[in-house]
Amino acid sequence: MPARAHGVMVSAAAAAGLLLTLVLPAEGAGQVTEFTIELPESLGPGEVGAITVSTTLTDPIEEPVAITFDLPRRALALLDAPDNCALDDFYYRIRCVEEGLPSGVTSHVFSIAGRSVGHTDYYLVNATLQFEPSPGDPPLASAFDDMLVLDGELNGRQGDLDDSGTADVVAQDGADRLLLYRGDGLGGFGPTSVVGTGFRGRIVLPGDINSDIDLADDVIYQTASGALYAYPTKNPADGTLGRGVLVLTGFTNWTVLGPGDWDGDGNSDLIGRSPGGQLYLFAGNGNMTFDGARLIGTGWGAFTLLVTPGDFDGDGHVDLIGRDAGSRLLLYPGTGAGGFGTPELIGLRWSVRSISGVGDFDGDLDADLVAVYTSGQLVLYPGDGAGGFETPTSIGHGWGSLRVVG
């Protein structure tokens, strides 16, 4: 993407590994600027790493310089940044301003942590080095666009319909409307809006099934006749949905679940429980299509409720939770390859109206659950990242007439 401004030719080149370099040579003799971003080789759930942004100059620059780049908030948490760098929380865009740069190397180091719920492949987008021009001069700006940053074990479902980087709660009301209750990232709610109408059937949040750049969750709609329609997020800024596309049929009286990436191939999948209690995997292809049924379990008809929490035990693989007839809660760890580990009892007396996985709702990097009681109380059950729970907290009332989507 060559661009000429300020007498400088801009070209982009990616170095070996995860060191990304942009070289800005002068047209004649003079300074040569290198703009580099160094990234961790890998970053697992909860692991801490660093992103280093550097400029290398042969001659100093006296005019202001601005460096900006975006982080995928649903996959990374920013822990620390230099004082001269400001963060726009909604977009997770970081902007650093220097009054000038000396010769040699100037570095900015950002401490980051991997989230235990997020997207498998995620990107650093719009990394820009801009020399703020003198009056009348055009700006010089160059960007790394859509470059793969990490390919870690962050496969999960976030429940983030508006791509704000924080998990949301989605619910259906009695008027067949789909309501978005925006999470504030701290266990509470922001604004609420209607993002869809006419949804009489069951709604599932499978994650990002069309692999678009916004990474916002998409929606699966199960009709009474057993058809499954995929609704991609049309406008991530407000969570509204695009046109539905028929993706599968034959799911009458089935329980359809959106676990995230169950088989570890980087695409969000679907799981279906048949009326006979068999459990089938429908592997996603990342383009709103799914492979045929693959049997992964039998005897699941005994469960009164199935929940897809994301990676609930912190091992980097998405899991499944079931409530049995005795109101016990059992965790079935996913293996990351389409199977199950050894089930574990994680709760007793869960005789609540509904239980849903909502991703990391309180911002501590661990997957959480919400439960609706018969009284209409909405309770957050924070996960501890190891298959258990922290202290539950009431976060709402009057939810008895709503169906929380999970």
Side-chain angles (χ1 to χ4, degrees):
M1 48 186 167
R4 185 179 298 273
H6 245 346
V8 177
M9 178 65 72
V10 182
S11 61
L18 293 177
L19 178 64
L20 308 170
T21 304
L22 192 71
V23 181
L24 310 174
E27 287 184 315
Q31 68 187 34
V32 175
T33 301
E34 286 189 357
F35 175 33
T36 63
I37 302 178
E38 188 173 2
L39 309 161
E41 286 290 341
S42 63
L43 197 67
E47 293 181 353
V48 176
I51 293 177
T52 302
V53 179
S54 303
T55 55
T56 304
L57 305 178
T58 55
D59 297 322
I61 296 176
E62 296 181 357
E63 56 193 336
V65 176
I67 298 170
T68 65
F69 63 94
D70 295 349
L71 289 176
R73 185 168 180 178
R74 69 182 292 164
L76 294 174
L78 180 67
L79 303 181
D80 193 25
D83 292 339
N84 62 323
C85 300
L87 173 67
D88 180 334
D89 260 338
F90 184 80
Y91 293 102
Y92 227 44
R93 178 168 298 147
I94 299 170
R95 185 172 190 266
C96 306
V97 177
E98 299 279 3
E99 292 303 315
L101 291 174
S103 59
V105 180
T106 300
S107 295
H108 302 77
V109 181
F110 304 86
S111 180
I112 55 172
R115 292 186 182 273
S116 60
V117 282
H119 198 267
T120 307
D121 299 333
Y122 46 96
Y123 298 82
L124 174 70
V125 296
N126 300 328
T128 303
L129 175 66
Q130 179 173 342
F131 296 89
E132 298 185 355
S134 302
D137 288 344
L140 170 62
S142 300
F144 295 118
D145 290 324
D146 305 348
M147 291 189 308
L148 181 65
V149 175
L150 301 173
D151 185 6
E153 295 292 340
L154 302 184
N155 39 5
R157 54 171 308 279
Q158 172 79 2
D160 179 16
L161 202 64
D162 61 356
D163 198 33
S164 64
T166 57
D168 308 312
V169 173
V170 179
Q172 290 172 272
D173 67 7
D176 302 329
R177 301 183 304 171
L178 199 61
L179 307 176
L180 173 62
Y181 293 82
R182 290 174 173 81
D184 63 6
L186 300 172
F189 294 104
T192 302
S193 61
V194 178
V195 294
T197 58
F199 289 103
R200 294 187 177 182
R202 188 172 184 273
I203 293 291
V204 177
L205 297 182
D208 178 24
I209 58 174
N210 62 353
S211 301
D212 54 359
I213 190 61
D214 58 52
L215 299 184
D217 274 14
D218 303 311
V219 166
I220 291 288
Y221 172 50
Q222 180 184 7
T223 68
S225 62
L228 300 187
Y229 287 84
Y231 286 79
T233 303
K234 178 177 67 175
N235 184 356
D238 59 18
T240 53
L241 304 176
R243 184 181 298 274
V245 177
L246 179 66
V247 292
L248 291 169
T249 58
F251 286 82
T252 304
N253 297 323
W254 282 57
T255 301
V256 179
L257 306 167
D261 178 17
W262 186 258
D263 58 4
D265 67 351
N267 299 315
S268 293
D269 307 315
L270 295 177
I271 288 177
R273 180 178 63 176
S274 71
Q278 294 88 5
L279 211 62
Y280 292 92
L281 172 67
F282 298 84
N285 297 309
N287 58 0
M288 294 203 304
T289 66
F290 297 87
D291 291 343
R294 169 186 161 192
L295 183 67
I296 58 173
T298 58
W300 288 79
F303 289 100
T304 61
L305 191 64
L306 294 176
V307 182
T308 51
D311 176 19
F312 196 70
D313 57 4
D315 66 353
H317 308 306
V318 295
D319 307 314
L320 193 61
I321 291 175
R323 183 183 66 181
D324 66 14
S327 297
R328 301 185 308 162
L329 217 58
L330 293 106
L331 173 67
Y332 286 80
T335 63
F340 294 97
T342 304
E344 178 183 350
L345 179 67
I346 60 171
L348 300 171
R349 297 184 294 277
W350 279 77
S351 54
V352 295
R353 184 172 176 266
S354 69
I355 307 168
S356 303
V358 289
D360 175 22
F361 194 70
D362 57 4
D364 66 354
L365 307 182
D366 300 319
D368 308 316
L369 303 181
V370 294
V372 178
Y373 282 70
T374 54
S375 64
Q377 183 182 26
L378 183 69
V379 177
L380 172 67
Y381 286 84
D384 64 5
F389 297 99
E390 304 285 356
T391 304
T393 305
S394 176
I395 57 173
H397 298 273
W399 288 72
S401 62
L402 300 176
R403 179 188 174 272
V404 177
V405 175

